[in-house]
Amino acid sequence: MTVWDSGRIARASRLQAGARYAKGKHVARKDATALLEAVIQPGDRVCIEGDNQKQADMLAAALAAADSGKLHDLHMVQSGVVLPEHLDIFERGIARRLDYAFSGPQSQRIARLLFGGKIELGAVHTYLELFARYFIDLTPQVALIAAVSADREGNLYTGPNTEDTPAIVEATAFKDGIVIAQVNEVVDKLPRIDIPSDWVNYVIESDKPFYVEPLFTRDPAAITETQILTAMLAIKGIYAPYGVQRLNHGIGFNTAAIELLLPTYGERLGLKGKVASYWALNPHPTLIPAIESGWVKQIHSFGSEVGMDDYIRARSDVYFTGPDGSLRSNRAFSQVAGLYACDMFIGSTLQIDLQGNSSTVTTDRVAGFGGAPNMGSDARGRRHPSEPWLRAGKEADPDSPALMRRGRKLVVQIGETFGDKNVPLFVEHLDAIELARKLDLDLAPVMVYGDDVTHIVTEEGIANLLLCRDNDEREQAIRGVAGYTAIGRARDAKMVQRLRERGVIRRPEDLGIDPLDADRRMLAASSIKDLVRWSGGLYAPPSRFRNW
Amino acid sequence: MSSPSWFEASARQRVKEMLDQDSFVEFIGPEQRETSPHLSLFDLPEQFDDGMIVGRGLLDGKPVFIAAQEGRFMGGAFGEVHGAKLTGLLRAARDVGSIPVVILFDTGGVRLQEANAGELAIAEIMRAVVEARLAGVPVVGLVGGRAGCYGGGGLTAGSCSALAVSEQGRISVSGPEVIETNRGVEEFDSKDRALVWRTMGGKQRYLIGGADVFADDTVASFRDAARYVIEHAAALDLDTLQAEQVRLEQRIERFGACADAIDIWRSMGAADPQSLPGMAFEDFVALADGLKETRHVAR
Amino acid sequence: MEKLTYRHVAALRAKGTRDQAIVGVVASGNLEVLVERGLPDGECEVEIRTPVEGFGDVWSAVVVDFVGRSSPGGLKLSINDGGARPDMVALRLAQAVRAIEGERS
Amino acid sequence: MLLADILASLFPGGHEVIVQGGLASGRGTLPSGSQLAVIGVDGRLPVGIDEAARLARHVLDVTTSGSNDPILVLVDSDSQRMSKRDEMLGLSEYLAHLAKCLIHADAHGHPTIGLLYGHTAAGAFIATALATRVLLALPGAEPAVMDLPSMSRVTKLPIEVLQEKAKSTPVFAPGLDNLAQTGGVAAVLDPTRSLADQLEAVLTTVAGTGLQADTRDQLGKQRQGRPKAADIAERVRELALASV
């Protein structure tokens, strides 16, 4: 006889196994590992919540402390491989297979484990892809999540850093999985309920608050004159002509410079209200001056940012907040917003090749891209028009009839021609290809494909790839802004000159920008302290960013 | 345009913009190429002025000798040439007997690649500071740069007639990393920047009497501070030293058992000591001037 | 430490009457440029000391473009490099010419 | 040499120097009959705020005593005390105060002589031994600005490389010879002879009141340890004087 509810039966037996450690739904911290050993089974798909910001760090440590005789061959399906414990479980044989989206600080170690055969790699995803697969073929049997607080019944308040939690819990709880939450504290009354208690099976009070990385805090003091020049080029050469109202920014210093130039340089260009009003963006501290100057109408966020909570609470017209007043972030929804409702993505990368493909993966670092590939891609499913989208579409394809012409999302790569330690931004071949060969992958880890990129901005100028009519032009347009890198020096000077005459390449002087005007005094804030001042004292930066 | 940030400005900008317009004359300027004779041994690049600018200029029409360290070159550290320029300037001030000296500190201390020369330079500078002061010359220090005022720089600052410091300024002998390396992270967590600043930063120094004027982080504010401290510089004599002895002994008696600067501020009477680091310039000055007990800071 | 010297013909004499100027600072990723008059009006010399060896062709290209874009006739530019990237070098060279031409920063 | 042996050799007729908590203070009579005030740091004690304040108090007591006794500063110290408490309470002020008291005393009839007989380093070195008019040392003294392992950490150069470089220049590596060559240590005494005799000889050269020119940079030039300092300082001085 066919059994149609084997999942439900399995869940019941897992819950029974875990029951001895629980009082209601509450489990003591000291029993965390034992609970995991009881409810997880060898070979399970397990998600440890964690992305480029928040981490279910206590549960990660509890799993890493498990007996590898009891728990082994797990298939980890999680956004981030960020904590040492995330890889310890592979080294110890507790886990074997991995599907993930992002790894920042562990990117070097992950590469070593991949080469050493300790990790069997499924794929490197974007956040949105991985969330999608949670509902199709990578549904977790057990999810280990993090919340700010729980009440006695097990309702959860995930607070400003809600981030991935709803997507993970939705997929797990409604497909017979087990949801285990670490919480900073158990309280009588939650500020608001983000996850209802009947989707949660166990709650463990952690000995310290879950870790959050202040990844989106960029110290204005570190912004260079060259970055300011690239920011001026982007504002005057892209934001202004396209009238970009809806956008997403990456996390680099070039885009931080743009944020800090809006209230100064942008204001002088008369762009207030005409560009940069609606955002899919984390609460970047560097956007505070623009917000305070009345540039920003609305922001939806993937996650929160350390120290921004009070500021957000006091600016609920701008941010999405709950009835309790605190931010409600949601990575899945914000990714969708960035993909479908934004007309531009602008961000930095480590390598760009002659076709415009870009990647932050190098041969010894398997970084994963998080959300960038979704932000930095043209959504083929988009159907609503907007001026920048239509204009970009027309530039790419001037001859098709307007009513049948797809628009294009503006995907802008911005950076200096040389990065840290004089490493060139422009390369003949991406390191990602070499890595894919070494690891025998079916697909090289490309962050943004060249055919999605519309503009490249460097200190030498802007290359508008939409206006290139063939691969040759495209290559020379890229070489034409590649500065003194080997790629740049090998340009066909005559062709580059012709491209410039056609406006495919625009130099600072073509835009009426004098590079010598790129001065730090143009920044609306030149230090973290300035940002605090702009916020009226509401922004409370983490200690490591202070100089007071 | 508002006055530029002191912290952000280069040593040359600070000198140029705090003196009367076009009044600065440099001694042994960069075109003389009197660079360090030792850095090449370590394959390190030289700077034409060795990170120290000395010269004379006018402040409100009155002549001053001025010296400025570039905190971004070798962390503003004292090397042989760097230090000798300041020594020579102080000796000249001693000989003239009437022109004050303004020192714009921005230093991590002794330059390790020429450590012995740097250490001796500081000994010579301190002796020259005292000689100038004994000759009746005010020698004043301004602290608010990127590199802070560490090591021998801190000792030299402590020898000056008067000091002005901004919030960003730090005055200390051992740097945070040095303490952490030698004594462990439990003694001092150098990455905890709030701890660094409340332990050795400008506000703490001003509150406990380690500096005479609290300046805002602008060239204009430091210019005002310099004028003020030149006017109010303490003479160096036995009375001053005895007063300083009493002041320093009392500090140990009163605060020697405090575990943290927050405890010091609380015992000074600050109602909400935690709020001091975040406090805006004017608010802090108003509060601090109510708390500071030693009005005349003998040094 | 590598020492590089480039001499070029310059189209125009640099404007202004100042004898010398200095911009930048020798720090990581930065450099200082000391600019002095004293060469014949149609000549320009750039002398570089850099701890990063083996980038002569990049320096050469930067200097050629600089001489083409600015009008550094009669100028000697001496660089102490702290490992600056070419874009920073180009910026400082342009700033140096502006500084000796007498514009107040 | 140990402190007790040094004191015995200096003051064969006995002395009133006491050592308390690593700090020495008191006075002694040299064989010639002249009186000598003594302060000192012994047993490689780090110099923190408490130590600096006590030493400065002794110096001020001598200055106000009405005598014209020279002050002998005996040094076997660690570096400055590296602690949160000391820096929080303003160690730089305490060390500077001690140095100022010594230089002030020197200028007011109490010639100061330093005698380095053990270790010393960094800020403690500046505030004690280097704040005297004449710095003497005994063989085996170990003055240092920073030890080579720490220097290796900061400069990111292996210790062997630093040791190799130190052969060609006295300018950075620790050690008595290097400090002497750069002009910091005036003379090294002979421990096999009477220290009292040797000290009295030095005292005759520093007799008299008022400050004498600081000649350490000249000494460093003569001994080829500091090629530029003396000339640069003198050039700046002359330019400054000419500018007035």
Side-chain angles (χ1 to χ4, degrees):
Chain A
M1 205 178 86
T2 312
V3 180
W4 289 104
D5 57 355
S6 59
R8 200 169 290 168
I9 294 165
R11 174 162 70 177
S13 77
R14 288 170 192 263
L15 288 173
Q16 200 180 359
R20 55 184 288 220
Y21 302 106
K23 228 186 232 166
K25 290 185 176 175
H26 293 270
V27 175
R29 165 72 183 88
K30 65 175 171 51
D31 295 327
T33 298
L35 175 76
L36 298 183
E37 287 172 347
V39 302
I40 302 174
Q41 285 163 16
D44 271 358
R45 275 187 305 275
V46 176
C47 167
I48 306 175
E49 182 177 12
D51 46 44
N52 52 7
Q53 302 186 261
K54 81 185 284 198
Q55 300 298 339
D57 50 354
M58 185 275 281
L59 290 172
L63 183 60
D67 179 347
S68 58
K70 291 180 189 159
L71 288 187
H72 48 85
D73 297 314
L74 301 183
H75 179 180
M76 306 309 294
V77 290
Q78 61 191 50
S79 294
V81 178
V82 174
L83 303 173
E85 290 84 355
H86 290 157
L87 290 174
D88 293 347
I89 58 175
F90 286 94
E91 246 166 21
R92 296 199 43 228
I94 295 170
R96 186 163 52 86
R97 195 170 166 79
L98 175 66
D99 281 278
Y100 77 110
F102 171 84
S103 78
Q106 298 295 329
S107 56
Q108 228 161 348
R109 190 165 160 224
I110 210 172
R112 282 202 304 274
L113 290 172
L114 284 169
F115 290 130
K118 286 275 188 187
I119 295 178
E120 204 175 279
L121 183 65
V124 186
H125 304 73
T126 73
Y127 286 132
L128 204 48
E129 269 182 296
L130 188 63
F131 298 155
R133 291 190 68 188
Y134 285 166
F135 295 94
I136 301 296
D137 62 341
L138 290 180
T139 308
Q141 270 114 8
V142 179
L144 312 179
I145 63 166
V148 176
S149 48
D151 63 14
R152 309 289 159 196
E153 288 73 48
N155 294 299
L156 301 182
Y157 168 60
T158 46
N161 291 92
T162 292
E163 306 187 3
D164 301 17
T165 318
I168 297 167
V169 173
E170 180 90 11
T172 310
F174 291 90
K175 200 71 192 67
D176 300 325
I178 305 286
V179 173
I180 303 173
Q182 74 169 74
V183 300
N184 301 348
E185 56 176 347
V186 177
V187 297
D188 290 326
K189 177 104 181 81
L190 295 177
R192 70 173 189 236
I193 295 174
D194 289 302
I195 304 288
S197 65
D198 55 355
W199 304 358
V200 179
N201 304 103
Y202 299 103
V203 172
I204 308 177
E205 197 170 27
S206 181
D207 32 16
K208 60 179 194 309
F210 63 81
Y211 181 72
V212 183
E213 171 74 16
L215 191 71
F216 296 84
T217 302
R218 289 285 168 264
D219 188 343
I223 294 174
T224 65
E225 290 143 313
T226 308
Q227 285 160 349
I228 292 170
L229 176 59
T230 60
M232 291 165 72
L233 288 166
I235 291 172
K236 199 166 183 188
I238 299 176
Y239 288 57
Y242 291 97
V244 180
Q245 285 281 25
R246 308 179 302 167
L247 72 165
N248 166 256
H249 271 189
I251 64 171
F253 281 98
N254 306 83
T255 42
I258 293 174
E259 289 155 23
L260 291 170
L261 287 184
L262 290 176
T264 55
Y265 185 63
E267 190 91 32
R268 249 188 286 155
L269 296 176
L271 296 175
K272 185 168 154 185
K274 295 178 183 156
V275 306
S277 302
Y278 304 93
W279 301 71
L281 192 79
N282 274 336
H284 288 191
T286 39
L287 197 61
I288 291 172
I291 293 171
E292 294 302 303
S293 307
W295 278 69
V296 177
K297 293 207 170 65
Q298 187 162 308
I299 300 172
H300 187 262
S301 300
F302 312 90
S304 188
E305 183 62 8
V306 182
M308 286 288 283
D309 292 345
D310 288 347
Y311 179 73
I312 293 163
R313 194 179 277 275
R315 297 289 179 274
S316 57
D317 279 355
V318 173
Y319 293 98
F320 283 74
T321 55
D324 63 311
S326 70
L327 179 76
R328 164 76 176 197
S329 62
N330 187 311
R331 190 168 311 278
F333 287 153
S334 210
Q335 289 287 336
V336 172
L339 187 55
Y340 282 101
C342 286
D343 293 316
M344 179 170 87
F345 161 77
I346 178 164
S348 317
T349 183
L350 285 183
Q351 292 188 332
I352 299 177
D353 71 10
L354 290 171
Q355 287 74 52
N357 298 305
S358 75
S359 182
T360 51
V361 164
T362 57
T363 40
D364 63 342
R365 282 176 196 276
V366 188
F369 310 121
N374 286 128
M375 300 293 107
S377 65
D378 193 33
R380 304 282 289 173
R382 177 169 167 178
R383 290 296 179 270
H384 73 282
S386 69
E387 217 176 289
W389 188 73
L390 291 175
R391 178 177 165 150
K394 187 177 174 189
E395 285 183 350
D397 177 15
D399 302 327
S400 291
L403 287 176
M404 287 303 290
R405 185 167 53 208
R406 268 183 204 276
R408 281 286 295 271
K409 182 181 192 176
L410 297 165
V411 175
V412 183
Q413 297 274 279
I414 185 169
E416 300 104 286
T417 49
F418 286 89
D420 262 358
K421 294 180 185 134
N422 272 313
V423 176
L425 174 62
F426 295 91
V427 295
E428 201 85 32
H429 303 288
L430 298 178
D431 282 358
I433 295 168
E434 174 66 21
L435 180 86
R437 285 210 188 94
K438 269 169 62 184
L439 287 175
D440 203 19
L441 303 178
D442 296 330
L443 197 60
V446 172
M447 183 170 79
V448 176
Y449 283 114
D451 59 358
D452 276 328
V453 176
T454 62
H455 298 76
I456 297 173
V457 183
T458 71
E459 74 277 2
E460 204 187 3
I462 301 174
N464 181 344
L465 304 183
L466 291 166
L467 297 174
C468 295
R469 292 297 164 251
D470 56 38
N471 281 340
D472 245 19
E473 286 192 4
R474 197 179 171 79
E475 178 179 325
Q476 291 303 326
I478 292 171
R479 289 189 190 273
V481 295
Y484 297 101
T485 60
I487 298 293
R489 282 180 287 132
R491 71 185 60 169
D492 174 344
K494 283 201 187 111
M495 188 156 170
V496 166
Q497 183 54 33
R498 281 200 301 279
L499 291 173
R500 190 175 162 192
E501 281 153 16
R502 270 174 45 203
V504 177
I505 290 174
R506 302 178 85 190
R507 301 266 176 251
E509 54 265 41
D510 302 340
L511 289 161
I513 293 172
D514 183 344
L516 293 180
D517 290 339
D519 190 292
R520 281 184 44 81
R521 293 189 199 184
M522 284 180 65
L523 297 173
S526 55
S527 65
I528 293 278
K529 185 69 185 246
D530 282 351
L531 295 174
V532 174
R533 235 174 263 136
W534 270 104
S535 76
L538 291 167
Y539 171 44
S543 181
R544 74 164 112 146
F545 288 101
R546 288 170 50 161
N547 53 11
W548 64 89
Chain B
M1 195 167 199
S2 64
S3 179
S5 158
W6 185 266
F7 187 82
E8 288 252 325
S10 69
R12 282 190 184 277
Q13 284 168 328
R14 289 173 191 158
V15 168
K16 185 177 166 218
E17 303 204 19
M18 78 167 276
L19 294 175
D20 297 354
Q21 196 170 337
D22 294 330
S23 72
F24 179 64
V25 179
E26 186 167 356
F27 307 142
I28 311 189
E31 78 289 350
Q32 305 275 321
R33 295 171 166 75
E34 288 291 359
T35 55
S36 162
H38 309 297
L39 291 177
S40 61
L41 182 66
F42 293 85
D43 275 323
L44 288 169
E46 295 154 6
Q47 181 158 299
F48 288 123
D49 59 16
D50 204 35
M52 173 68 88
I53 300 160
V54 296
R56 61 157 276 163
L58 299 174
L59 193 59
D60 272 354
K62 294 177 200 149
V64 291
F65 288 128
I66 189 164
Q69 297 179 291
E70 176 49 66
R72 289 173 297 173
F73 172 64
M74 302 295 297
F78 285 88
E80 180 173 350
V81 173
H82 180 109
K85 283 184 175 180
L86 178 53
T87 306
L89 190 77
L90 288 160
R91 288 176 182 168
R94 171 201 62 195
D95 295 348
V96 175
S98 59
I99 299 181
V101 183
V102 185
I103 305 173
L104 283 52
F105 290 100
D106 200 348
T107 183
V110 168
R111 190 183 294 169
L112 288 184
Q113 292 79 3
E114 35 193 302
N116 297 332
E119 181 95 343
L120 293 181
I122 285 159
E124 284 156 357
I125 288 164
M126 284 172 67
R127 186 161 269 262
V129 167
V130 172
E131 287 176 9
R133 291 186 61 190
L134 290 172
V137 176
V139 179
V140 303
L142 311 180
V143 181
R146 290 162 187 271
C149 184
Y150 283 101
L155 268 73
T156 306
S159 308
C160 287
S161 319
L163 290 178
V165 68
S166 65
E167 176 176 86
Q168 286 83 351
R170 287 139 290 153
I171 306 173
S172 160
V173 187
S174 309
E177 291 81 9
V178 173
I179 303 176
E180 183 181 320
T181 304
N182 283 280
R183 298 283 305 278
V185 70
E186 303 76 22
E187 175 69 25
F188 204 84
D189 179 357
S190 64
K191 289 190 187 61
D192 183 346
R193 287 171 49 165
L195 170 70
V196 170
W197 256 268
R198 73 176 181 267
T199 304
M200 45 190 74
K203 283 181 171 169
Q204 157 73 349
R205 288 294 170 251
Y206 183 59
L207 283 167
I208 66 166
D212 307 74
V213 173
F214 189 70
D216 204 359
D217 177 41
T218 63
V219 176
S221 183
F222 269 102
R223 177 186 159 96
D224 291 344
R227 284 190 300 214
Y228 179 87
V229 288
I230 287 171
E231 291 275 311
H232 296 82
L236 184 63
D237 54 25
L238 192 54
D239 287 347
T240 302
L241 288 175
Q242 284 180 311
E244 183 172 47
Q245 180 75 30
V246 170
R247 180 171 69 84
L248 295 178
E249 284 174 354
Q250 281 179 349
R251 190 188 291 168
I252 296 177
E253 274 168 41
R254 293 200 51 203
F255 308 124
C258 291
D260 193 278
I262 299 285
D263 304 326
I264 294 180
W265 305 341
R266 186 179 295 112
S267 67
M268 291 176 91
D272 181 12
Q274 307 277 358
S275 70
L276 261 60
M279 211 172 256
F281 173 72
E282 291 82 7
D283 300 340
F284 172 75
V285 172
L287 178 91
D289 289 351
L291 295 179
K292 268 177 66 175
E293 298 191 0
T294 320
R295 290 268 162 205
H296 177 70
V297 181
R299 68 181 80 250
Chain C
M1 203 59 64
E2 190 168 21
K3 187 177 163 186
L4 304 162
T5 306
Y6 301 100
R7 271 171 226 274
H8 287 277
V9 173
L12 292 169
R13 178 188 180 277
K15 290 185 294 244
T17 55
R18 295 184 63 176
D19 292 334
Q20 65 171 81
I22 187 159
V23 298
V25 61
V26 183
S28 177
N30 211 326
L31 73 159
E32 70 173 345
V33 182
L34 172 65
V35 52
E36 297 158 296
R37 291 190 201 271
L39 295 180
D41 284 356
E43 289 177 27
C44 169
E45 184 182 308
V46 181
E47 190 182 288
I48 298 144
R49 283 171 180 277
T50 173
V52 191
E53 300 189 2
F55 283 85
D57 46 350
V58 177
W59 283 102
S60 166
V62 173
V63 170
V64 166
D65 283 355
F66 159 69
V67 175
R69 276 180 203 160
S70 302
S71 50
L75 300 185
K76 176 177 173 164
L77 299 107
S78 307
I79 292 177
N80 280 321
D81 175 39
R85 304 181 300 199
D87 54 271
M88 177 64 86
V89 177
L91 182 67
R92 291 275 177 262
L93 284 168
Q95 285 172 338
V97 172
R98 183 188 265 198
I100 201 166
E101 287 184 338
E103 197 192 287
R104 290 188 195 291
S105 57
Chain D
M1 278 177 97
L2 294 175
L3 181 58
D5 302 332
I6 292 168
L7 291 171
S9 178
L10 281 171
F11 309 117
H15 60 80
E16 298 160 37
V17 177
I18 53 164
V19 181
Q20 212 170 31
L23 297 182
S25 64
R27 53 201 306 106
T29 310
L30 289 165
S32 66
S34 48
Q35 291 272 311
L36 202 57
V38 175
I39 66 163
V41 187
D42 186 42
R44 205 168 170 161
L45 184 75
V47 182
I49 56 172
D50 306 282
E51 292 78 10
R54 279 174 57 196
L55 290 169
R57 165 66 69 191
H58 292 312
V59 176
L60 287 175
D61 286 347
V62 176
T63 316
T64 52
S65 67
S67 76
N68 275 324
D69 298 344
I71 302 173
L72 179 66
V73 182
L74 294 162
V75 180
D76 171 22
S77 79
D78 198 349
S79 65
Q80 70 274 9
R81 176 169 285 118
M82 295 171 181
S83 82
K84 177 182 174 186
R85 174 177 176 269
D86 286 87
E87 293 301 350
M88 180 174 77
L89 292 174
L91 179 59
S92 56
E93 288 178 81
Y94 288 81
L95 293 179
H97 174 65
L98 172 57
K100 280 185 289 187
C101 288
L102 282 167
I103 300 169
H104 174 268
D106 187 32
H108 290 82
H110 304 274
T112 51
I113 315 276
L115 178 55
L116 196 56
Y117 64 96
H119 183 78
T120 188
F125 189 14
I126 294 175
T128 59
L130 287 176
T132 59
R133 188 192 297 190
V134 180
L135 178 56
L136 307 173
L138 281 162
E142 300 174 308
V145 178
M146 191 183 250
D147 57 287
L148 278 187
S150 305
M151 213 175 269
S152 158
R153 238 190 347 262
V154 178
T155 59
K156 297 184 178 70
L157 292 170
I159 291 180
E160 304 77 58
V161 172
L162 288 175
Q163 282 166 339
E164 191 56 37
K165 288 186 192 298
K167 286 180 190 163
S168 67
T169 172
V171 84
F172 72 90
L176 180 55
D177 291 349
N178 291 332
L179 260 302
Q181 219 182 319
T182 43
V185 175
V188 179
L189 303 183
D190 179 352
T192 63
R193 290 171 46 216
S194 155
L195 294 183
D197 293 351
Q198 296 177 74
L199 188 67
E200 299 226 43
V202 173
L203 279 173
T204 57
T205 68
V206 299
T209 54
L211 276 172
Q212 291 180 350
D214 186 348
T215 55
R216 287 174 288 194
D217 51 359
Q218 298 287 350
L219 205 55
K221 183 186 174 186
Q222 279 165 28
R223 294 174 178 173
Q224 297 177 331
R226 273 196 291 163
K228 292 183 85 166
D231 293 347
I232 293 282
E234 187 52 23
R235 271 174 65 195
V236 169
R237 195 183 69 89
E238 283 166 7
L239 286 164
L241 289 177
S243 79
V244 175

